[in-house]
Structure formats: structure tokens, C-alpha cells
Amino acid sequence: MAFTARLPESVEADAKAYAEFVGVSMNALLAIALRDYLDARMPDGPGVRRAPRPPASVEAPSPAQKPAFKAPASRSDPCPCGAVDLNGHALKWKHCHGKP
């Protein structure tokens, strides 16, 4: 199911800046926000499956803190930066820093 979010310009600008600060795409940021909103509305009954939550505080590393790393041998190997998707799985090099 496709979904197009239309945000007021001021909200969109703030969301883009925050997504860039955190290091996620706008789609990921909206997915996290929607999941948090829906989680707050759902009853905590049996059978309610919850996705793992990202860390509460995410700080952008300064350029001096960013580790230098080499490309892995295969494009399908995990990215050495340690990036994970919303489910906590390691991102592959080809979907992270190995994008052309």
C-alpha cells in the first residue's frame, strides 16, 4: 500500500533537518513516528506484537569521531559503519555506504 505524506512546509523542513541529524531517511523517520503513535494507542493485551525500539537518545557523531573504514569484500556484507534498519538488522554495504 502506497502512502504519500503531505506536510506543511515548516514541519517538512524541521522533519528533514531532524532526519538528517539522526541519520535516517524521511521515510524511516515517518515510519518511526507512526509506529510510536500507534503503539501509544494500542492496548497492551496478549498477542500484541511490538517492534524493537530505537535508542531514546541519538547523537550525531562529530566529523572527528567518525571512524574510517574500508569497503567489505562483498557488496552483500554488513556495512562496517554499523547501521541497522528499523527491525535491528544490520544494513548491507550495498544499501548503506556502497550506494553508487
Side-chain angles (χ1 to χ4, degrees):
M1 181 172 146
F3 175 75
T4 302
R6 290 183 172 83
L7 303 171
E9 290 180 18
S10 61
V11 173
E12 185 175 355
D14 289 344
K16 283 182 180 179
Y18 186 72
E20 186 176 329
F21 172 77
V22 175
V24 298
S25 67
M26 280 289 290
N27 286 339
L29 184 68
L30 290 174
I32 292 167
L34 181 60
R35 184 193 63 206
D36 289 347
Y37 172 77
L38 292 175
D39 280 353
R41 295 180 55 109
M42 293 183 90
D44 289 323
V48 176
R49 184 171 177 224
R50 305 251 183 222
R53 296 188 122 13
S57 63
V58 178
E59 295 181 17
S62 68
Q65 293 175 336
K66 289 186 180 179
F69 55 84
K70 293 182 180 179
S74 168
R75 291 182 68 231
S76 294
D77 289 343
C79 189
C81 75
V84 295
D85 62 13
L86 292 175
N87 295 323
H89 300 113
L91 284 179
K92 294 182 179 180
W93 170 259
K94 64 185 173 185
H95 296 296
C96 191
H97 284 90
K99 287 185 177 180

